[in-house]
Amino acid sequence: MTERKRTPWVVGVSGASGTPYAAAVVRGLLAAGEDVDLVVSRASRLTLLDETGIAFRDAHWRDDLAEWLGRGADGKPGTFRVPDLDAVRYWGAGDLAAGPSSGSYPVKGMLIVPASTACVAGVALGLSKDLLQRVASVTLKERRRLVVAVRETPLNGQTLKHLVALDEAGAIVLPASPAFYAGATHIQDLVDFVAGRVLDAAGVPHRLYRRWEGELGGARPRGQSGD
């Protein structure tokens, strides 16, 4: 029996606040039948520990990822059914010899969720100081889709220049900025909106949020009217 050929999306998680965004994107990709190569930066492990209490470990990444994906944006365990993780391959952030570090390794593109300003600077300058930045550089040079979900505020002039440089290099700059027209009633709704926009930019189908259909007031619950 021949092995199924994988052409994954690389999901890079940097140290910015917003680990629920990354979890929602991974869940969305797996739900759409996509393969995922996961890169979790060293800084993001500290953020993940602070935001969820999960200590992400290389040797136990599958168990830790399962716990992460099962949590809601409010940190409650068991909110989501954990998807089958056989479609996920994990690469350590310090492994510069990993598959995605080479342009000959087949991937559909890369989604950096969330992207810190330090990560944005490193990718824009081509530093490749860790695997996450290296894969982003490879994605750009191979003219593959790169979505950068920047999640810090305010942004100074230097970061804005870096974001313009990424845009000019072909990346999609996608601020983690949730909208409210979709009828959000829970923090998870806001997280899913941003995750859905990331998947939109990647061309991956999903049902994470209610799309705008040109009807004012469509986000209001039934029976609720405006003043």
Side-chain angles (χ1 to χ4, degrees):
M1 181 180 296
T2 59
E3 184 178 354
R4 180 178 65 87
K5 183 178 180 181
R6 297 177 77 254
T7 308
W9 285 97
V10 180
V11 176
V13 188
S14 80
S17 176
T19 55
Y21 291 132
V25 166
V26 172
R27 284 194 300 266
L29 288 170
L30 295 178
E34 299 285 347
D35 291 317
V36 174
D37 276 20
L38 181 65
V39 180
V40 180
S41 76
R42 290 189 175 92
S44 70
R45 296 173 190 230
L46 297 176
T47 307
L48 182 63
L49 181 63
D50 186 50
E51 293 184 344
T52 69
I54 297 172
F56 197 90
R57 304 158 294 176
D58 284 348
H60 303 280
W61 70 266
R62 184 179 290 267
D63 291 338
D64 297 336
L65 178 61
E67 183 179 357
W68 183 9
L69 296 184
R71 290 184 182 237
D74 58 2
K76 183 179 178 181
T79 300
F80 294 98
R81 182 182 64 82
V82 178
D84 184 0
L85 299 182
D86 287 345
V88 180
R89 183 175 293 174
Y90 171 73
W91 303 95
D95 184 5
L96 293 179
S101 68
S102 171
S104 65
Y105 182 87
V107 303
K108 292 182 178 179
M110 183 180 191
L111 316 174
I112 305 179
V113 188
S116 66
T117 53
C119 172
V120 166
V123 176
L125 297 174
L127 298 182
S128 296
K129 72 171 186 177
D130 62 8
L131 181 60
L132 193 157
Q133 292 184 10
R134 170 60 185 169
V135 177
S137 295
V138 169
T139 302
L140 288 175
K141 82 177 182 68
E142 296 294 329
R143 301 297 191 267
R144 295 167 179 160
R145 191 166 304 190
L146 174 63
V147 181
V148 181
V150 60
R151 204 244 53 89
E152 290 197 27
T153 190
L155 300 175
N156 63 28
Q158 196 61 51
T159 298
L160 292 171
K161 291 176 182 177
H162 290 151
L163 292 173
V164 169
L166 289 178
D167 176 77
E168 292 175 342
I172 298 173
V173 176
L174 193 152
S177 177
F180 295 85
Y181 63 77
T185 59
H186 189 276
I187 185 176
Q188 188 67 51
D189 298 324
L190 300 177
V191 167
D192 285 347
F193 180 87
V194 172
R197 295 299 288 152
V198 171
L199 296 178
D200 286 344
V204 175
H206 66 87
R207 300 177 67 180
L208 288 176
Y209 68 86
R210 186 188 72 86
R211 297 185 181 277
W212 175 252
E213 296 178 349
E215 180 185 354
L216 292 176
R220 292 196 195 100
R222 291 185 177 180
Q224 179 179 329
S225 59
D227 294 333

Coordinates of all heavy atoms in Angstrom, one line a residue, residues 105-189:
Y105 N 10.4 20.8 0.0 CA 9.4 20.1 0.9 C 8.0 20.6 0.5 O 7.8 21.8 0.5 CB 9.7 20.3 2.3 CG 8.7 19.7 3.3 CD1 9.0 18.4 3.8 CD2 7.6 20.3 3.8 CE1 8.2 17.7 4.7 CE2 6.8 19.7 4.7 CZ 7.1 18.4 5.2 OH 6.3 17.8 6.1
P106 N 7.1 19.8 0.0 CA 5.8 20.3 -0.5 C 4.9 20.7 0.6 O 4.5 20.0 1.5 CB 5.3 19.0 -1.3 CG 5.9 17.9 -0.5 CD 7.2 18.3 -0.1
V107 N 4.5 22.0 0.5 CA 3.5 22.5 1.4 C 2.6 23.4 0.6 O 2.9 23.9 -0.5 CB 4.1 23.3 2.6 CG1 5.0 22.4 3.4 CG2 4.8 24.6 2.1
K108 N 1.4 23.7 1.1 CA 0.4 24.6 0.4 C 0.8 26.1 0.8 O 0.5 27.0 0.0 CB -1.0 24.3 0.8 CG -1.5 23.0 0.3 CD -2.9 22.7 0.6 CE -3.4 21.4 0.0 NZ -4.8 21.1 0.4
G109 N 1.3 26.3 1.9 CA 1.6 27.6 2.4 C 1.8 27.6 3.9 O 1.9 26.6 4.5
M110 N 1.8 28.8 4.4 CA 2.1 29.0 5.9 C 1.2 30.0 6.5 O 0.9 31.1 5.9 CB 3.5 29.4 6.1 CG 3.9 29.5 7.6 SD 5.6 30.0 7.8 CE 5.8 29.7 9.6
L111 N 0.6 29.7 7.7 CA -0.2 30.6 8.4 C 0.5 30.9 9.7 O 0.7 30.0 10.5 CB -1.6 30.0 8.6 CG -2.2 29.3 7.4 CD1 -3.5 28.6 7.9 CD2 -2.5 30.3 6.3
I112 N 0.9 32.1 10.0 CA 1.5 32.5 11.3 C 0.4 33.1 12.2 O -0.1 34.2 11.9 CB 2.6 33.5 11.1 CG1 3.7 32.9 10.1 CG2 3.3 33.8 12.5 CD1 4.9 33.8 9.9
V113 N 0.0 32.4 13.2 CA -1.1 32.8 14.0 C -0.9 32.4 15.5 O -0.8 31.2 15.8 CB -2.4 32.0 13.6 CG1 -3.6 32.6 14.3 CG2 -2.6 32.0 12.1
P114 N -0.7 33.4 16.4 CA -0.6 34.8 16.1 C 0.8 35.2 15.7 O 1.7 34.4 16.0 CB -1.0 35.5 17.4 CG -0.5 34.5 18.4 CD -0.7 33.1 17.8
A115 N 1.0 36.4 15.1 CA 2.3 36.9 14.8 C 2.7 38.0 15.7 O 2.0 39.0 15.6 CB 2.4 37.3 13.3
S116 N 3.8 37.9 16.4 CA 4.2 39.0 17.2 C 5.0 40.0 16.4 O 5.4 39.7 15.2 CB 5.2 38.5 18.3 OG 6.3 38.0 17.8
T117 N 5.2 41.2 16.9 CA 6.0 42.2 16.1 C 7.4 41.7 15.9 O 8.1 42.0 14.9 CB 6.0 43.6 16.8 OG1 6.4 43.5 18.1 CG2 4.6 44.2 16.8
A118 N 8.0 41.0 16.9 CA 9.3 40.4 16.8 C 9.4 39.4 15.6 O 10.3 39.4 14.8 CB 9.8 39.8 18.1
C119 N 8.3 38.6 15.5 CA 8.2 37.6 14.5 C 8.1 38.4 13.1 O 8.8 38.0 12.1 CB 7.0 36.7 14.7 SG 6.7 35.6 13.3
V120 N 7.3 39.4 13.1 CA 7.1 40.2 11.8 C 8.4 40.7 11.4 O 8.8 40.7 10.2 CB 6.0 41.3 12.1 CG1 6.1 42.3 10.9 CG2 4.7 40.7 12.2
A121 N 9.2 41.3 12.3 CA 10.5 41.9 12.0 C 11.4 40.8 11.5 O 12.1 41.1 10.4 CB 11.1 42.6 13.2
G122 N 11.5 39.7 12.1 CA 12.4 38.6 11.7 C 12.1 38.1 10.3 O 13.0 37.9 9.5
V123 N 10.8 38.0 10.0 CA 10.4 37.5 8.7 C 10.7 38.5 7.6 O 11.2 38.3 6.5 CB 8.9 37.0 8.7 CG1 8.5 36.6 7.3 CG2 8.7 35.9 9.6
A124 N 10.3 39.8 7.9 CA 10.5 40.9 7.0 C 12.0 41.1 6.6 O 12.4 41.4 5.5 CB 9.9 42.2 7.5
L125 N 12.9 40.9 7.6 CA 14.3 41.1 7.4 C 15.0 39.8 7.0 O 16.2 39.8 6.7 CB 14.9 41.6 8.7 CG 14.5 42.9 9.2 CD1 15.1 43.3 10.6 CD2 14.8 44.0 8.2
G126 N 14.3 38.7 6.9 CA 14.9 37.4 6.5 C 15.9 36.9 7.4 O 16.9 36.3 7.0
L127 N 15.7 37.0 8.7 CA 16.7 36.6 9.7 C 16.8 35.1 9.9 O 17.8 34.5 10.1 CB 16.3 37.2 11.1 CG 16.4 38.8 11.2 CD1 16.1 39.2 12.6 CD2 17.7 39.3 10.7
S128 N 15.6 34.4 9.8 CA 15.6 32.9 10.0 C 16.3 32.5 11.2 O 17.1 31.5 11.2 CB 16.3 32.3 8.7 OG 15.6 32.5 7.6
K129 N 16.0 33.1 12.3 CA 16.7 32.8 13.6 C 16.2 31.5 14.2 O 16.8 30.9 15.1 CB 16.6 33.9 14.6 CG 15.2 34.1 15.2 CD 15.2 35.1 16.3 CE 13.8 35.1 17.0 NZ 13.8 36.0 18.2
D130 N 15.0 31.0 13.8 CA 14.4 29.8 14.2 C 13.6 29.2 13.1 O 13.6 29.7 12.0 CB 13.6 29.9 15.5 CG 12.4 30.8 15.3 OD1 12.1 31.2 14.1 OD2 11.7 31.1 16.3
L131 N 13.1 28.0 13.3 CA 12.4 27.3 12.2 C 11.2 28.1 11.7 O 10.9 28.1 10.5 CB 11.9 25.9 12.7 CG 11.2 25.0 11.6 CD1 12.1 24.8 10.4 CD2 10.8 23.7 12.2
L132 N 10.4 28.7 12.6 CA 9.3 29.5 12.2 C 9.7 30.6 11.2 O 9.0 30.7 10.1 CB 8.6 30.1 13.4 CG 7.2 30.7 13.2 CD1 6.5 30.8 14.6 CD2 7.2 32.1 12.6
Q133 N 10.7 31.3 11.5 CA 11.1 32.4 10.6 C 11.7 31.8 9.3 O 11.5 32.3 8.2 CB 12.1 33.3 11.3 CG 11.5 34.1 12.4 CD 12.6 35.1 13.0 OE1 13.7 35.3 12.4 NE2 12.2 35.7 14.1
R134 N 12.4 30.7 9.4 CA 13.0 30.1 8.3 C 11.9 29.6 7.3 O 12.0 29.8 6.1 CB 13.9 28.9 8.7 CG 14.4 28.0 7.5 CD 15.2 28.7 6.5 NE 15.5 27.9 5.4 CZ 16.0 28.3 4.2 NH1 16.3 29.6 4.1 NH2 16.3 27.5 3.3
V135 N 10.9 28.9 7.8 CA 9.8 28.5 7.0 C 9.1 29.6 6.3 O 8.7 29.5 5.1 CB 8.8 27.6 7.8 CG1 7.6 27.2 6.9 CG2 9.5 26.4 8.4
A136 N 8.9 30.7 7.0 CA 8.3 31.9 6.4 C 9.1 32.4 5.3 O 8.6 32.8 4.2 CB 8.1 33.0 7.5
S137 N 10.4 32.5 5.5 CA 11.3 32.9 4.4 C 11.2 32.0 3.2 O 11.2 32.5 2.0 CB 12.7 33.0 4.9 OG 12.9 34.0 5.9
V138 N 11.2 30.7 3.4 CA 11.1 29.7 2.3 C 9.7 29.9 1.6 O 9.7 29.9 0.4 CB 11.2 28.3 2.9 CG1 10.9 27.3 1.8 CG2 12.7 28.1 3.3
T139 N 8.7 30.1 2.4 CA 7.4 30.3 1.8 C 7.3 31.5 0.8 O 6.8 31.4 -0.3 CB 6.3 30.5 2.9 OG1 6.3 29.4 3.8 CG2 4.9 30.7 2.3
L140 N 8.0 32.6 1.2 CA 8.0 33.8 0.4 C 8.9 33.5 -0.9 O 8.5 33.9 -2.0 CB 8.6 35.0 1.2 CG 7.7 35.6 2.2 CD1 8.4 36.7 3.0 CD2 6.4 36.1 1.6
K141 N 10.0 32.9 -0.7 CA 10.9 32.7 -1.9 C 10.3 31.7 -2.9 O 10.6 31.8 -4.1 CB 12.3 32.3 -1.4 CG 12.5 30.8 -1.1 CD 13.9 30.5 -0.8 CE 14.1 29.0 -0.5 NZ 14.0 28.2 -1.7
E142 N 9.5 30.8 -2.4 CA 8.9 29.8 -3.2 C 7.5 30.3 -3.8 O 6.8 29.6 -4.5 CB 8.6 28.5 -2.5 CG 9.9 27.8 -2.0 CD 10.7 27.3 -3.2 OE1 10.1 26.9 -4.3 OE2 12.0 27.2 -3.1
R143 N 7.2 31.6 -3.5 CA 5.9 32.2 -3.9 C 4.7 31.4 -3.5 O 3.7 31.3 -4.2 CB 6.0 32.4 -5.5 CG 7.1 33.2 -6.0 CD 7.1 34.6 -5.5 NE 8.0 35.5 -6.2 CZ 9.2 35.8 -5.7 NH1 9.7 35.2 -4.6 NH2 10.0 36.6 -6.4
R144 N 4.8 30.9 -2.3 CA 3.6 30.2 -1.7 C 2.9 31.2 -0.8 O 3.4 32.2 -0.5 CB 4.0 29.0 -0.9 CG 4.7 27.9 -1.7 CD 5.4 26.9 -0.9 NE 6.0 25.8 -1.7 CZ 7.0 25.0 -1.3 NH1 7.5 25.2 -0.1 NH2 7.5 24.1 -2.1
R145 N 1.6 30.8 -0.5 CA 0.8 31.7 0.3 C 1.3 31.8 1.8 O 1.5 30.8 2.4 CB -0.6 31.3 0.3 CG -1.6 32.3 0.9 CD -3.0 32.0 0.5 NE -3.3 31.8 -0.9 CZ -4.4 31.7 -1.5 NH1 -5.5 31.7 -0.8 NH2 -4.5 31.6 -2.8
L146 N 1.5 33.0 2.2 CA 1.9 33.3 3.6 C 0.9 34.3 4.2 O 0.7 35.4 3.7 CB 3.3 33.9 3.7 CG 3.8 34.4 5.0 CD1 3.9 33.2 6.0 CD2 5.1 35.1 4.9
V147 N 0.2 33.9 5.3 CA -0.7 34.7 6.0 C -0.1 35.0 7.3 O 0.2 34.1 8.1 CB -2.1 34.0 6.2 CG1 -3.1 34.9 6.9 CG2 -2.7 33.6 4.8
V148 N 0.0 36.3 7.6 CA 0.6 36.8 8.9 C -0.5 37.5 9.7 O -0.9 38.6 9.4 CB 1.8 37.8 8.6 CG1 2.4 38.2 9.9 CG2 2.8 37.1 7.7
A149 N -1.0 36.8 10.7 CA -2.0 37.4 11.6 C -1.4 38.1 12.8 O -1.2 37.6 13.9 CB -2.9 36.2 12.1
V150 N -1.0 39.3 12.5 CA -0.3 40.1 13.5 C -1.3 40.5 14.6 O -2.4 40.9 14.4 CB 0.3 41.4 12.9 CG1 -0.8 42.3 12.2 CG2 1.1 42.2 13.9
R151 N -0.8 40.4 15.9 CA -1.7 40.6 17.0 C -1.0 41.4 18.1 O -0.7 40.9 19.2 CB -2.2 39.3 17.5 CG -3.6 39.4 18.3 CD -3.5 39.1 19.8 NE -2.5 39.7 20.5 CZ -2.6 40.9 21.1 NH1 -3.7 41.6 21.0 NH2 -1.6 41.4 21.8
E152 N -0.6 42.6 17.8 CA -0.1 43.5 18.9 C -0.6 44.9 18.6 O -0.9 45.2 17.4 CB 1.5 43.4 18.9 CG 2.0 42.1 19.5 CD 3.4 42.2 19.9 OE1 3.9 43.3 20.3 OE2 4.1 41.2 19.9
T153 N -0.7 45.7 19.6 CA -1.2 47.0 19.4 C -0.7 47.9 20.6 O -0.6 47.4 21.7 CB -2.7 47.0 19.4 OG1 -3.2 48.3 19.0 CG2 -3.4 46.6 20.7
P154 N -0.3 49.1 20.4 CA -0.3 49.8 19.1 C 0.9 49.4 18.3 O 1.8 48.7 18.8 CB -0.2 51.3 19.5 CG 0.5 51.3 20.8 CD 0.0 50.0 21.5
L155 N 0.9 49.7 17.0 CA 2.0 49.4 16.1 C 2.9 50.6 15.8 O 2.3 51.7 15.5 CB 1.5 48.9 14.8 CG 0.6 47.6 14.9 CD1 0.1 47.2 13.5 CD2 1.4 46.4 15.4
N156 N 4.2 50.5 16.0 CA 5.0 51.7 15.8 C 5.4 51.7 14.3 O 5.1 50.8 13.5 CB 6.3 51.7 16.7 CG 7.2 50.5 16.5 OD1 7.2 49.9 15.4 ND2 7.9 50.1 17.5
G157 N 6.1 52.8 13.9 CA 6.4 53.0 12.5 C 7.3 51.9 12.0 O 7.1 51.5 10.8
Q158 N 8.3 51.4 12.8 CA 9.1 50.4 12.3 C 8.4 49.1 11.9 O 8.6 48.5 10.9 CB 10.2 50.1 13.3 CG 11.4 49.3 12.7 CD 12.1 50.1 11.6 OE1 12.5 51.2 11.8 NE2 12.3 49.4 10.5
T159 N 7.4 48.7 12.8 CA 6.6 47.5 12.5 C 5.8 47.7 11.3 O 5.6 46.8 10.5 CB 5.7 47.2 13.8 OG1 6.6 46.9 14.9 CG2 4.9 46.0 13.5
L160 N 5.2 48.9 11.2 CA 4.4 49.2 10.0 C 5.2 49.1 8.7 O 4.7 48.6 7.7 CB 3.8 50.6 10.1 CG 2.7 50.8 11.2 CD1 2.4 52.3 11.3 CD2 1.5 50.0 10.9
K161 N 6.5 49.5 8.8 CA 7.3 49.4 7.6 C 7.6 47.9 7.3 O 7.6 47.5 6.2 CB 8.7 50.1 7.8 CG 8.6 51.6 7.9 CD 9.9 52.2 8.2 CE 9.8 53.8 8.3 NZ 11.0 54.4 8.7
H162 N 7.8 47.1 8.4 CA 8.0 45.7 8.2 C 6.7 45.0 7.6 O 6.9 44.1 6.7 CB 8.3 45.0 9.6 CG 9.6 45.4 10.1 ND1 9.9 45.4 11.5 CD2 10.8 45.7 9.5 CE1 11.2 45.7 11.7 NE2 11.7 45.9 10.5
L163 N 5.6 45.4 8.0 CA 4.3 44.9 7.5 C 4.2 45.3 6.0 O 3.7 44.4 5.2 CB 3.1 45.4 8.3 CG 3.0 44.8 9.7 CD1 1.9 45.5 10.5 CD2 2.8 43.3 9.7
V164 N 4.5 46.5 5.6 CA 4.5 46.9 4.2 C 5.5 46.0 3.4 O 5.2 45.6 2.3 CB 4.8 48.4 4.1 CG1 5.0 48.7 2.6 CG2 3.7 49.2 4.7
A165 N 6.7 45.8 4.0 CA 7.7 44.9 3.3 C 7.1 43.5 3.1 O 7.3 43.0 2.0 CB 8.9 44.9 4.1
L166 N 6.4 43.0 4.1 CA 5.8 41.7 3.9 C 4.7 41.7 2.8 O 4.6 40.8 2.0 CB 5.2 41.2 5.2 CG 6.2 40.8 6.3 CD1 5.5 40.4 7.6 CD2 7.1 39.7 5.8
D167 N 3.9 42.7 2.8 CA 2.9 42.9 1.8 C 3.5 42.9 0.4 O 3.1 42.3 -0.6 CB 2.1 44.1 2.0 CG 1.0 44.3 1.0 OD1 0.0 43.7 1.0 OD2 1.3 45.2 0.1
E168 N 4.6 43.7 0.3 CA 5.2 43.8 -1.0 C 5.9 42.5 -1.5 O 6.1 42.3 -2.7 CB 6.3 45.0 -1.0 CG 5.6 46.4 -0.8 CD 6.6 47.5 -0.7 OE1 7.8 47.2 -0.3 OE2 6.3 48.6 -0.9
A169 N 6.3 41.7 -0.5 CA 6.9 40.4 -0.8 C 5.9 39.4 -1.1 O 6.3 38.2 -1.5 CB 7.8 40.0 0.4
G170 N 4.6 39.7 -1.0 CA 3.6 38.7 -1.4 C 2.8 38.1 -0.3 O 1.9 37.3 -0.5
A171 N 3.1 38.5 1.0 CA 2.4 37.9 2.1 C 1.0 38.6 2.3 O 0.8 39.8 1.8 CB 3.2 38.1 3.4
I172 N 0.1 38.0 2.9 CA -1.2 38.6 3.3 C -1.1 39.0 4.8 O -0.9 38.1 5.6 CB -2.3 37.6 3.1 CG1 -2.4 37.2 1.6 CG2 -3.6 38.2 3.6 CD1 -3.4 36.1 1.4
V173 N -1.1 40.3 5.0 CA -1.1 40.8 6.4 C -2.5 40.9 6.9 O -3.3 41.6 6.4 CB -0.4 42.2 6.4 CG1 -0.5 42.8 7.9 CG2 1.0 42.1 5.9
L174 N -2.8 40.1 8.0 CA -4.2 40.0 8.5 C -4.2 40.3 10.0 O -3.9 39.4 10.8 CB -4.7 38.6 8.2 CG -6.2 38.3 8.4 CD1 -6.6 37.1 7.4 CD2 -6.5 38.0 9.8
P175 N -4.5 41.5 10.4 CA -4.5 41.8 11.8 C -5.6 41.0 12.5 O -6.7 40.8 11.9 CB -4.9 43.3 11.8 CG -4.5 43.9 10.5 CD -4.7 42.7 9.5
A176 N -5.3 40.5 13.7 CA -6.2 39.7 14.4 C -7.3 40.7 15.1 O -7.3 41.0 16.2 CB -5.5 39.0 15.5
S177 N -8.2 41.2 14.2 CA -9.2 42.2 14.6 C -10.6 41.6 14.3 O -11.0 41.6 13.2 CB -8.9 43.4 13.7 OG -9.9 44.4 14.0
P178 N -11.2 41.2 15.4 CA -12.6 40.6 15.2 C -13.6 41.6 14.9 O -13.5 42.8 15.3 CB -12.8 39.9 16.6 CG -12.0 40.7 17.6 CD -10.8 41.1 16.8
A179 N -14.6 41.2 14.1 CA -15.8 42.0 13.8 C -17.0 41.6 14.6 O -17.0 40.5 15.2 CB -16.1 41.9 12.3
F180 N -18.0 42.5 14.7 CA -19.1 42.2 15.5 C -20.4 42.0 14.7 O -21.4 41.7 15.3 CB -19.3 43.3 16.5 CG -18.2 43.4 17.5 CD1 -17.0 44.1 17.2 CD2 -18.2 42.8 18.8 CE1 -16.0 44.2 18.1 CE2 -17.2 42.9 19.7 CZ -16.0 43.5 19.3
Y181 N -20.4 42.2 13.4 CA -21.6 42.0 12.6 C -22.0 40.6 12.5 O -23.2 40.3 12.1 CB -21.4 42.6 11.2 CG -20.3 41.9 10.3 CD1 -20.6 40.7 9.7 CD2 -19.1 42.5 10.1 CE1 -19.6 40.1 8.9 CE2 -18.1 41.9 9.4 CZ -18.4 40.7 8.8 OH -17.4 40.1 8.0
A182 N -21.2 39.6 12.9 CA -21.5 38.2 12.8 C -22.4 37.7 14.0 O -22.7 36.6 14.1 CB -20.3 37.3 12.7
G183 N -22.7 38.7 14.9 CA -23.5 38.3 16.0 C -22.8 37.6 17.2 O -23.3 36.7 17.7
A184 N -21.6 38.1 17.5 CA -20.8 37.4 18.6 C -21.6 37.6 19.9 O -22.0 38.6 20.3 CB -19.5 38.1 18.7
T185 N -21.7 36.4 20.6 CA -22.2 36.4 22.0 C -21.3 35.8 23.0 O -21.6 35.8 24.2 CB -23.6 35.6 22.0 OG1 -23.3 34.3 21.6 CG2 -24.6 36.2 21.1
H186 N -20.1 35.4 22.5 CA -19.2 34.7 23.4 C -17.8 35.1 22.9 O -17.6 35.3 21.7 CB -19.4 33.2 23.4 CG -18.6 32.5 24.5 ND1 -17.3 32.1 24.2 CD2 -18.9 32.1 25.7 CE1 -16.9 31.4 25.3 NE2 -17.8 31.4 26.2
I187 N -16.8 35.0 23.8 CA -15.4 35.2 23.3 C -15.0 34.3 22.2 O -14.2 34.6 21.3 CB -14.4 35.2 24.6 CG1 -13.0 35.5 24.1 CG2 -14.5 33.8 25.2 CD1 -12.0 35.6 25.3
Q188 N -15.5 33.1 22.3 CA -15.2 32.1 21.2 C -15.6 32.6 19.8 O -14.9 32.3 18.8 CB -15.8 30.7 21.5 CG -15.3 29.6 20.6 CD -13.8 29.3 20.8 OE1 -13.4 29.1 21.9 NE2 -13.1 29.3 19.7
D189 N -16.7 33.3 19.8 CA -17.2 33.8 18.5 C -16.2 34.8 17.9 O -16.0 34.8 16.7 CB -18.6 34.5 18.7 CG -19.7 33.5 19.2 OD1 -19.6 32.4 18.7 OD2 -20.5 33.9 20.0

